[in-house]
Amino acid sequence: MGGLLMTEKTLTRMDLAESVFREVGLSRNESASLVESVLQHVSDALAAGETVKISSFGTFSLREKSARVGRNPKTGDEVPISPRRVLTFRPSHLMKDRVSGGTE
């Protein structure tokens, strides 16, 4: 089984705040507040049905899924699936290129 091993590291809010602290020079508390504020703005916009586009990163948008009939894979029984909104992410071409090229 050749190939690259994927790391199990997860980027957290604290990691983002620490990066802002190191790169921008705000205090740790100000950095954490800034990260929280940005994430809150993104979340609020999506909850309001808006599309969020971050240049050179990607676009978060909502998609309406209509009601349909699904099937329980274990029993084979038909189950109604109610209509819902789902969040989708479409990466920018720059992000796709960067991810396909590995870490840079």
Side-chain angles (χ1 to χ4, degrees):
M1 287 196 244
L4 299 174
L5 294 175
M6 298 297 289
T7 61
E8 295 293 324
K9 175 79 174 105
T10 300
L11 183 67
T12 66
R13 290 172 188 238
M14 289 305 299
D15 295 333
L16 292 172
E18 186 65 23
S19 291
V20 170
F21 168 72
R22 279 187 271 112
E23 299 288 327
V24 179
L26 296 175
S27 72
R28 279 194 163 84
N29 284 341
E30 290 171 327
S31 297
S33 292
L34 178 64
V35 169
E36 287 300 320
S37 178
V38 169
L39 294 175
Q40 188 65 50
H41 278 54
V42 169
S43 178
D44 289 347
L46 291 167
E50 299 175 36
T51 296
V52 176
K53 184 173 185 177
I54 302 173
S55 181
S56 301
F57 185 76
T59 303
F60 296 91
S61 58
L62 293 171
R63 199 175 99 206
E64 299 289 333
K65 293 186 102 176
S66 57
R68 62 187 175 90
V69 176
R71 194 172 301 278
N72 181 330
K74 197 177 251 185
T75 63
D77 295 340
E78 288 187 350
V79 180
I81 300 174
S82 57
R84 63 200 186 281
R85 292 191 319 177
V86 294
L87 178 64
T88 62
F89 175 72
R90 183 175 174 139
S92 71
H93 290 294
L94 290 172
M95 180 59 71
K96 285 181 184 179
D97 292 346
R98 187 161 185 201
V99 168
S100 69
T103 57
E104 292 180 10

